[in-house]
Structure formats: structure tokens, C-alpha cells
Amino acid sequence: MKIGVITFPGTLDDQDAARAAKYAGGEAVSLWHADADLRGVDAVIVPGGFSYGDYLRCGAIARFAPVMGPVIEAAAKGMPILGICNGFQILCEAGLLPGALVRNHELHFVCRDQWLKVENNSTAWTTRYDKGAEILIPLKSGEGGYVAEQNTLAELEGEGRVVFRYVGDNPNGSLNNIAGITDARGRVVGLMPHPEHAIDALTGPSDDGLGMFFSAIDALVKA
């Protein structure tokens, strides 16, 4: 299964995301921001970093990159899409996920290992987890506070579309302790923490993040 990983100017974690896809048994395919071509991939990861230097607003410029046109079209057809950190911001800017990410509530960059609770294990990216499980994933962001209108929050909560929630102290002021969400079909997922940095207990705080990439491979095999 081919998993595309997009590189924008300022992307930091594309190689880590590609490694995670390989760990799960997938074939990682590099996708360039300026090419409106997904190169026949079966899923797409929009990785973390500081695309276009976070100018204007995190993800605001990347959302208009040529590669995002086919990403949006593929998402409409049900392709699994994962946005990590800056990738989550880009997916929100592109309208693939609701809400927005704003400056952390204490106005500091947060870098720490963060416990998350799995709230939804039926998405294309979370079936390998037990609902209610707690996983340890690195978090590193300055604009990670998830916000949305109250009716949007109510919809996300009512439809079970909160995928991950922060456990313990809220690190960034996210409403409802939301760390990650999904679209209505469970195919597009965005989260602020970095599962690609938790795929090997030797180099990360755990290998808990690997389940997301195995889940995607499972979803593609079943399709």
C-alpha cells in the first residue's frame, strides 16, 4: 500500500512520517507541495513542521499549495488522510476538518511527552486501539489550541468525532481537551501530537503511535 507524505517549504517531520509508514509495512511515497499529483498513492499524510514559515497563519499558505487540490478531491472520495500538528492546521484551513488551531493558552511553545485518551477507534487511523486506551505521544507546538464554534463542538461530541483527548493538564487550552478529530466518515483525521515520533520504544517515549499507521494499512487492505 502506497502512503504519500507531503513536503512543503518548512516541513520538518516528513521523513519521520515516511519511516512510520514503512514500519507499518507501507510504501512511503514523497509528494512535493508544488506538484498537483498524488502519484497513485492510497493514503496521504500531511506532516508536521512550519510550512511556509507559518506566515499569515499556520497552514494558511500551505492550504493553497498545488498538491492540496488533489488531496481535497481524494478526501471527498474517501481516501484516508492524516494531518499531524501543522498538517492538522492545514486540514482545518483547507476545510477538510472543522475548527482551527490557535496560540497555546500560556503563549509558550510546548514540547513534552503527552498522554492521550483514545475516544474513537473506528476511524481509518485508529482501529488498532481499544476505545478508552491511554497512549503516550510527543507533543511539540506553539499554536495547538483547538477552537471551534459551540455548535461545531456539540456536533463533534454528539457524533463521536473527537478521536483523541488530552489526559491530565491541558497543554494548550484546547476546548474540551481535544487533541484530535475526524471528519464525518472517519477517513480524515487530524491531531496535534506526533504519532510518528512514537513508533519505536528505543527512540521515543513509547511505540504507541505505530497503531495509527497499522490502522491505515488495515483500512486499505479491507478496501
Short mmCIF file of all heavy atoms in Angstrom, two decimals, residues 3 24-25 30 41 51 53 62-63 72 97 102 122 126 136 138 142 176 183 208 218 222:
data_model
loop_
_atom_site.label_atom_id
_atom_site.label_comp_id
_atom_site.label_asym_id
_atom_site.label_seq_id
_atom_site.Cartn_x
_atom_site.Cartn_y
_atom_site.Cartn_z
N ILE A 3 1.64 5.07 0.73
CA ILE A 3 1.23 6.18 1.59
C ILE A 3 2.06 7.40 1.22
O ILE A 3 3.29 7.40 1.38
CB ILE A 3 1.40 5.83 3.08
CG1 ILE A 3 0.54 4.62 3.43
CG2 ILE A 3 1.02 7.03 3.95
CD1 ILE A 3 0.63 4.20 4.88
N ALA A 24 5.03 0.24 9.40
CA ALA A 24 3.73 -0.44 9.38
C ALA A 24 3.57 -1.34 8.16
O ALA A 24 2.53 -1.99 8.00
CB ALA A 24 2.61 0.59 9.42
N GLY A 25 4.57 -1.37 7.31
CA GLY A 25 4.50 -2.23 6.14
C GLY A 25 4.06 -1.55 4.87
O GLY A 25 3.86 -2.20 3.84
N SER A 30 7.07 10.10 -1.62
CA SER A 30 7.24 11.54 -1.39
C SER A 30 6.35 12.34 -2.34
O SER A 30 6.33 12.08 -3.55
CB SER A 30 8.70 11.94 -1.59
OG SER A 30 9.54 11.32 -0.64
N VAL A 41 -1.02 7.23 -4.91
CA VAL A 41 -0.98 6.74 -3.53
C VAL A 41 -2.37 6.33 -3.06
O VAL A 41 -3.39 6.72 -3.63
CB VAL A 41 -0.39 7.80 -2.56
CG1 VAL A 41 1.02 8.16 -2.99
CG2 VAL A 41 -1.27 9.03 -2.47
N SER A 51 5.19 24.95 7.79
CA SER A 51 5.04 25.18 6.35
C SER A 51 5.00 26.67 6.04
O SER A 51 4.30 27.45 6.68
CB SER A 51 3.76 24.50 5.84
OG SER A 51 2.61 25.00 6.49
N GLY A 53 6.96 28.85 6.80
CA GLY A 53 7.35 29.66 7.95
C GLY A 53 6.21 30.08 8.84
O GLY A 53 6.38 30.98 9.67
N ALA A 62 -0.04 27.00 3.00
CA ALA A 62 0.05 25.62 2.53
C ALA A 62 -1.28 25.12 2.00
O ALA A 62 -1.31 24.29 1.07
CB ALA A 62 0.53 24.71 3.67
N ARG A 63 -2.36 25.62 2.55
CA ARG A 63 -3.68 25.19 2.11
C ARG A 63 -3.88 25.43 0.61
O ARG A 63 -4.65 24.72 -0.05
CB ARG A 63 -4.73 25.95 2.93
CG ARG A 63 -6.18 25.71 2.53
CD ARG A 63 -6.69 26.81 1.62
NE ARG A 63 -8.06 26.56 1.19
CZ ARG A 63 -8.39 25.84 0.12
NH1 ARG A 63 -7.44 25.27 -0.59
NH2 ARG A 63 -9.65 25.66 -0.23
N ILE A 72 -7.72 17.34 -1.53
CA ILE A 72 -9.12 17.63 -1.21
C ILE A 72 -10.05 16.75 -2.05
O ILE A 72 -11.04 16.21 -1.54
CB ILE A 72 -9.41 19.12 -1.45
CG1 ILE A 72 -8.66 19.97 -0.41
CG2 ILE A 72 -10.91 19.41 -1.36
CD1 ILE A 72 -8.68 21.46 -0.68
N LEU A 97 -11.40 19.53 7.83
CA LEU A 97 -11.79 19.33 9.22
C LEU A 97 -12.29 20.67 9.77
O LEU A 97 -11.80 21.73 9.37
CB LEU A 97 -10.62 18.81 10.07
CG LEU A 97 -10.13 17.39 9.76
CD1 LEU A 97 -8.85 17.10 10.53
CD2 LEU A 97 -11.21 16.36 10.09
N VAL A 102 -5.11 27.62 17.46
CA VAL A 102 -4.65 28.96 17.82
C VAL A 102 -3.48 28.86 18.81
O VAL A 102 -3.13 27.78 19.28
CB VAL A 102 -5.79 29.80 18.42
CG1 VAL A 102 -6.92 29.96 17.41
CG2 VAL A 102 -6.32 29.18 19.71
N SER A 122 -12.83 3.85 15.58
CA SER A 122 -13.47 3.34 14.37
C SER A 122 -13.06 4.12 13.12
O SER A 122 -13.60 3.88 12.04
CB SER A 122 -15.00 3.40 14.52
OG SER A 122 -15.45 4.73 14.67
N THR A 126 -7.41 4.60 13.50
CA THR A 126 -7.39 4.27 14.94
C THR A 126 -7.95 2.89 15.29
O THR A 126 -8.14 2.59 16.48
CB THR A 126 -8.19 5.33 15.74
OG1 THR A 126 -9.53 5.42 15.22
CG2 THR A 126 -7.51 6.68 15.69
N LEU A 136 0.92 7.25 24.92
CA LEU A 136 1.91 8.30 25.19
C LEU A 136 2.57 8.73 23.89
O LEU A 136 3.24 7.93 23.23
CB LEU A 136 2.96 7.78 26.17
CG LEU A 136 4.00 8.78 26.67
CD1 LEU A 136 3.33 9.93 27.41
CD2 LEU A 136 5.03 8.09 27.56
N PRO A 138 4.58 12.19 21.77
CA PRO A 138 5.19 13.51 21.90
C PRO A 138 4.29 14.62 21.35
O PRO A 138 3.59 14.43 20.35
CB PRO A 138 6.47 13.40 21.06
CG PRO A 138 6.78 11.93 21.03
CD PRO A 138 5.43 11.27 20.98
N GLY A 142 3.39 25.41 19.14
CA GLY A 142 3.13 26.72 19.74
C GLY A 142 1.72 27.20 19.49
O GLY A 142 1.19 28.03 20.22
N ASN A 176 -12.53 21.50 25.36
CA ASN A 176 -12.91 20.11 25.64
C ASN A 176 -11.72 19.16 25.67
O ASN A 176 -11.87 17.96 25.48
CB ASN A 176 -13.95 19.61 24.63
CG ASN A 176 -15.27 20.34 24.72
OD1 ASN A 176 -15.36 21.42 25.30
ND2 ASN A 176 -16.30 19.78 24.13
N ASP A 183 -13.33 13.60 10.35
CA ASP A 183 -14.47 14.05 9.55
C ASP A 183 -15.64 13.09 9.79
O ASP A 183 -15.53 12.11 10.53
CB ASP A 183 -14.10 14.14 8.08
CG ASP A 183 -13.83 12.79 7.43
OD1 ASP A 183 -13.59 11.81 8.16
OD2 ASP A 183 -13.86 12.71 6.19
N ASP A 208 3.52 3.66 20.93
CA ASP A 208 2.06 3.77 20.87
C ASP A 208 1.56 4.39 19.57
O ASP A 208 0.43 4.13 19.14
CB ASP A 208 1.54 4.60 22.04
CG ASP A 208 1.70 3.90 23.39
OD1 ASP A 208 1.97 2.69 23.40
OD2 ASP A 208 1.57 4.58 24.43
N ASP A 218 -4.50 -1.47 7.54
CA ASP A 218 -5.66 -2.35 7.65
C ASP A 218 -6.84 -1.84 6.84
O ASP A 218 -7.51 -2.60 6.15
CB ASP A 218 -6.08 -2.48 9.13
CG ASP A 218 -5.09 -3.25 9.98
OD1 ASP A 218 -4.20 -3.92 9.41
OD2 ASP A 218 -5.18 -3.16 11.22
N LYS A 222 -8.65 -3.74 3.65
CA LYS A 222 -10.07 -4.08 3.66
C LYS A 222 -10.80 -3.45 2.49
O LYS A 222 -11.78 -4.00 1.99
CB LYS A 222 -10.70 -3.64 4.98
CG LYS A 222 -10.22 -4.43 6.18
CD LYS A 222 -10.83 -3.90 7.49
CE LYS A 222 -10.32 -4.69 8.67
NZ LYS A 222 -10.84 -4.13 9.96
#
